[in-house]
Amino acid sequence: MKFRNLKITEYLRENRKTVALCFAATCVLFVLVCITETGGDKVYFEDERGNLSALNLEAGGQQSAALKVTGFRDGVSVSRNAVITMGGEENKNTDISPDEPDTGDSIRKSLDEAIRTVENSKGAVAELPRVLEDGTLLLWEKPDSTGKYTILMLFPAMVMFFYNGEKEKNARIAREKKDSVLKTLPSFNSQILLLLGSGLIFEEAFGRVADGYEARKKRNYFEDVIVEIRKKAVESNVSVVRIMDMRSSEIGVREFTRVKEIIVTARDKGNDLSEKLADEGEILWNRRKKAAEEKGKLAETRLSGPLAMLLLAIIGVTAAPAMMQM
């Protein structure tokens, strides 16, 4: 799996501490849920068959227990989940129609009646009825506890959340770098072309431009690249053109690669560099102008929503007095 040159295996290897913290947090939460469920088991009493038979009320005060109860009668079964609250105010019985046309609805009302009976128990142990007066058989069960294992899915979810955040961060940085190159490359090309026209060779012209970038207090990504190319060429005694050739793949911008190819071709074949750079410069400036127009249109689109809301607010403020007088 690979997203914008960021493999998930590389992310896991480079961010082992974050992954370990996510795993530890998931384990702690899972253990806490298990401990809570184990403590809740003290409320339930089971018979020799493993079926729930009663609820423990010895702790006193108001308690709650989650249960699943199923009623069987006349070949029809109805199940419902309930939270039985014991030790509180007594629940009053509601009137139940004696002639219930639908067996399912009748069983549901019987289940409600059984739950109220358990909640109104006064002893230390609340017995769970097995058979009601209308012949409804009841099966009481503890709530399904398998849901706690879904907590384990929190670990991969957290890892993917941080991974996607890192991926988006890298994508944003890549876009900013590309925008920096596309924005600065036309002026860089024009500066080189101007210095070549004054009689300097390319190496000298590149050095002058790099010195100008280095003197600035605040530089963008492309200007930093030009300064680094110049420094590396001086330190390693390698030509600037060769360093540009090596860095072009790292920069990954097609326009810069095309300018580099023009310079390399002019050096190897002795072509007129100024003429080629002049033609390329016109293309670069036109592309920069087109990109600026596209960003302007995008900004207008994004502003249309707030402007519409502002217009509606103005209309509401203006029309409110007249509507109140109507």
Side-chain angles (χ1 to χ4, degrees):
M1 186 183 297
K2 187 174 182 181
F3 296 100
R4 295 185 181 276
N5 298 323
L6 178 63
K7 295 181 180 179
I8 190 169
T9 53
E10 294 178 358
Y11 173 80
L12 295 176
R13 184 172 59 253
E14 296 173 358
N15 298 270
R16 291 189 294 269
K17 185 177 294 185
T18 301
V19 175
L21 289 175
C22 294
F23 181 75
T26 303
C27 292
V28 169
L29 184 59
F30 180 74
V31 171
L32 290 176
V33 172
C34 291
I35 292 174
T36 303
E37 288 189 355
T38 303
D41 288 342
K42 298 178 181 178
V43 179
Y44 304 103
F45 286 155
E46 297 179 350
D47 58 16
E48 62 278 1
R49 297 181 179 179
N51 297 323
L52 290 183
S53 59
L55 298 176
N56 183 17
L57 303 178
E58 292 180 354
Q62 185 172 348
Q63 300 183 49
S64 296
L67 291 172
K68 178 182 179 182
V69 57
T70 305
F72 303 89
R73 193 174 74 219
D74 298 335
V76 179
S77 64
V78 176
S79 299
R80 61 163 294 185
N81 295 320
V83 178
I84 296 180
T85 302
M86 301 161 289
E89 296 182 358
E90 183 176 348
N91 294 315
K92 304 298 182 181
N93 293 341
T94 57
D95 295 333
I96 301 177
S97 175
D99 299 323
E100 189 66 42
D102 185 87
T103 304
D105 291 339
S106 177
I107 295 176
R108 290 187 187 92
K109 290 185 178 293
S110 298
L111 295 180
D112 292 338
E113 181 67 20
I115 292 171
R116 281 191 292 270
T117 301
V118 176
E119 289 181 330
N120 293 332
S121 300
K122 300 299 183 180
V125 177
E127 297 291 339
L128 300 177
R130 296 296 181 86
V131 182
L132 299 180
E133 295 180 357
D134 59 2
T136 303
L137 300 177
L138 300 181
L139 175 63
W140 301 86
E141 299 173 290
K142 289 188 291 186
D144 185 13
S145 61
T146 57
K148 65 184 179 183
Y149 294 104
T150 59
I151 297 176
L152 299 177
M153 296 300 298
L154 184 63
F155 170 64
M158 293 173 65
V159 171
M160 290 303 300
F161 173 79
F162 289 113
Y163 168 69
N164 289 329
E166 188 70 17
K167 182 186 67 175
E168 290 298 327
K169 178 182 177 182
N170 291 345
R172 176 176 55 79
I173 293 175
R175 288 194 300 268
E176 291 176 354
K177 289 181 177 180
K178 182 177 180 180
D179 291 341
S180 173
V181 174
L182 295 178
K183 182 179 179 181
T184 313
L185 185 59
S187 60
F188 168 79
N189 183 82
S190 298
Q191 288 176 307
I192 293 294
L193 187 61
L194 182 62
L195 292 172
L196 291 176
S198 64
L200 298 180
I201 62 174
F202 176 76
E203 296 277 349
E204 295 175 344
F206 189 93
R208 294 284 184 88
V209 175
D211 291 339
Y213 289 162
E214 189 174 8
R216 298 179 180 178
K217 294 182 179 180
K218 187 176 181 180
R219 299 190 296 266
N220 59 30
Y221 167 74
F222 182 74
E223 293 171 348
D224 284 333
V225 169
I226 297 301
V227 173
E228 291 175 6
I229 291 175
R230 169 69 188 289
K231 288 183 178 179
K232 190 171 183 179
V234 173
E235 293 173 357
S236 60
N237 198 22
V238 178
S239 68
V240 170
V241 179
R242 185 175 178 182
I243 303 296
M244 287 181 64
D245 193 11
M246 292 186 294
R247 290 295 302 271
S248 62
S249 59
E250 177 185 340
I251 295 173
V253 178
R254 182 177 53 188
E255 287 77 6
F256 179 79
T257 301
R258 193 164 53 244
V259 172
K260 181 265 302 181
E261 289 295 335
I262 292 174
I263 297 171
V264 172
T265 303
R267 182 198 62 178
D268 295 339
K269 298 184 178 181
N271 295 336
D272 187 359
L273 180 59
S274 298
E275 182 179 353
K276 296 293 183 180
L277 288 181
D279 295 338
E280 184 65 23
E282 185 176 354
I283 297 174
L284 292 174
W285 282 111
N286 289 334
R287 182 159 299 179
R288 178 177 172 178
K289 180 180 178 181
K290 183 178 180 181
E293 292 176 351
E294 291 177 353
K295 288 184 178 180
K297 293 179 181 178
L298 181 61
E300 292 177 358
T301 303
R302 291 178 177 177
L303 287 173
S304 60
L307 288 175
M309 295 178 62
L310 180 61
L311 181 60
L312 291 175
I314 294 174
I315 294 175
V317 171
T318 305
M323 294 179 64
M324 293 175 62
Q325 294 177 1
M326 291 179 63

